[in-house]
Amino acid sequence: MKKIIAIILVVLSVYAYWQVKEWIAQSGPLLSVVNVVVPKGASLNMVAARLEEAQVIDKAWLFKIMARVNGLAKHLKAGEYQFEPGVSLKQAMDKISKGEVFLRKITIPEGLTSGQIMYLIATYPGLEGEIDIDVKEGELLPETYSFELGASRNSIILQAKAAMQKTLEEAWAARDGDLPIKNITDLLTMASIIEKETGIADERPLVASVFLNRLRKGMRLQTDPTVIYAITEGETSFGRSLKKKDLKIDSPYNTYLNYGLPPGPICNPGREAIMAAAHPAESDYLYFVADGKGGHRFAKSLSEHNRNVKTWVRSIRK
């Protein structure tokens, strides 16, 4: 009799073992992507309950048993986790025990002023804390940055600052040797003007060549974005077209009145604009104007430029 009972127990144990093994490895009940937050100091019971509530798992009791059996009960790490449809109980447990937290992303578009970027970061969901880092114009590299839920806003600022510094140093070290630019700050300023003048990648080196050619000839840059920056000081949107009286504003940023580069950048340029400033196209162009189709027409002489302007005016009227 005892032998029979022992055999039955063995059979049941084997069956239970294979059943549990099947349960923890099989696809779970989750039907769509879901994010679950594990708070700091959360108990095993709380973690299991949250996963079951989010329908990541349907056997919270088994999750707790397996976490204890595998010695993971005290190693479930806090954070935000993203689970795919059909994730198994074992996969969910492994993800949390390994701390494979979900990384959120924030994208800083090219051409924003530092004030606009600070506002973007200050209002972006998932970030915490006040921004108490001093940020000058042009110090932040437009790019996509990853962060964990609850990361500080200062951490994004520091990432963007470091990325801009690295990009500028690399561009300056590899710049063309005949650039009429004195230092890395001037390179950044030139890149910021290029960024505001065109969003077309193929045009950036040509736009750079125009401004650098004008610098070589001692001509004023006469670029509208610097005048707009002089008026707004980078703090507000402009919201209208420039008028003739605007071109007379008394400001060191007004490149219609002053020779050379403005005293600093007028926005935060992206990598392509920085590289265009460091490696401009070879051209004799001194002018450019919108072509009415989103791009620009370039000219070597004022007479050619005036013809391009007339073409542009006609396209607007049409």
Side-chain angles (χ1 to χ4, degrees):
M1 185 69 179
K2 290 182 179 179
K3 287 184 179 180
I4 295 175
I5 293 175
I7 292 172
I8 292 173
L9 290 175
V10 169
V11 170
L12 290 174
S13 296
V14 171
Y15 173 78
Y17 170 80
W18 286 107
Q19 182 63 71
V20 168
K21 190 173 182 180
E22 180 182 343
W23 278 340
I24 65 174
Q26 70 186 7
S27 295
L30 192 61
L31 298 177
S32 59
V33 175
V34 68
N35 284 23
V36 177
V37 176
V38 175
K40 290 183 179 179
S43 66
L44 177 59
N45 287 341
M46 180 185 292
V47 174
R50 289 205 169 194
L51 291 176
E52 190 170 54
E53 183 180 355
Q55 298 184 342
V56 175
I57 60 175
D58 56 4
K59 296 178 179 64
W61 61 269
L62 182 58
F63 181 91
K64 290 184 285 186
I65 290 174
M66 296 310 300
R68 291 193 178 100
V69 169
N70 290 293
L72 301 176
K74 296 181 180 180
H75 299 284
L76 301 177
K77 298 177 174 61
E80 180 181 23
Y81 295 88
Q82 186 171 94
F83 299 97
E84 299 292 330
V87 61
S88 70
L89 186 148
K90 183 179 186 306
Q91 289 171 329
M93 184 171 57
D94 287 346
K95 176 172 281 197
I96 300 177
S97 65
K98 293 175 181 177
E100 296 174 354
V101 295
F102 175 69
L103 292 179
R104 297 188 172 208
K105 297 183 185 299
I106 178 172
T107 298
I108 300 175
E110 291 90 346
L112 296 185
T113 65
S114 290
Q116 291 171 323
I117 293 176
M118 299 277 271
Y119 178 78
L120 172 64
I121 295 173
T123 57
Y124 203 80
L127 293 169
E128 295 181 0
E130 299 295 324
I131 298 174
D132 54 17
I133 299 174
D134 181 50
V135 178
K136 297 181 177 63
E137 194 66 81
E139 284 191 326
L140 307 174
L141 185 70
E143 204 166 82
T144 297
Y145 298 95
S146 300
F147 66 94
E148 294 181 19
L149 177 66
S152 70
R153 293 184 168 85
N154 281 343
S155 69
I156 303 298
I157 296 291
L158 292 174
Q159 284 187 67
K161 267 194 168 189
M164 177 60 87
Q165 187 62 33
K166 181 181 179 182
T167 300
L168 282 174
E169 289 175 354
E170 290 174 351
W172 182 251
R175 71 191 186 281
D176 291 354
D178 60 344
L179 296 182
I181 293 179
K182 298 177 182 178
N183 52 51
I184 200 169
T185 300
D186 285 352
L187 181 72
L188 175 60
T189 300
M190 175 58 72
S192 72
I193 294 173
I194 297 167
E195 187 68 76
K196 297 299 284 187
E197 283 287 6
T198 182
I200 300 176
D202 292 343
E203 280 194 351
R204 289 190 180 106
L206 279 175
V207 170
S209 73
V210 169
F211 290 130
L212 293 168
N213 287 340
R214 292 177 77 91
L215 285 178
R216 291 187 182 98
K217 290 180 175 294
M219 299 171 66
R220 295 184 183 92
L221 295 185
Q222 295 182 316
T223 169
D224 291 357
T226 61
V227 178
I228 293 173
Y229 190 83
I231 296 171
T232 64
E233 296 182 346
E235 297 297 328
T236 59
S237 299
F238 194 51
R240 64 175 175 84
S241 299
L242 277 175
K243 300 177 181 178
K244 285 186 178 181
K245 67 178 183 179
D246 295 326
L247 305 183
K248 298 178 181 179
I249 184 174
D250 183 14
S251 168
Y253 284 90
N254 186 350
T255 55
Y256 279 85
L257 295 181
N258 302 296
Y259 288 90
L261 290 166
I266 60 173
C267 72
N268 293 267
R271 293 180 187 274
E272 289 186 359
I274 293 171
M275 293 307 165
H279 306 286
E282 292 185 13
S283 83
D284 296 324
Y285 292 135
L286 294 171
Y287 307 90
F288 63 89
V289 68
D291 61 6
K293 300 177 182 178
H296 296 85
R297 285 190 174 90
F298 295 83
K300 300 176 183 179
S301 65
L302 183 57
S303 59
E304 182 185 3
H305 175 63
N306 287 336
R307 289 195 297 273
N308 289 340
V309 171
K310 289 180 181 179
T311 301
W312 172 61
V313 171
R314 284 196 299 270
S315 70
I316 292 177
R317 289 173 178 172
K318 290 181 181 179

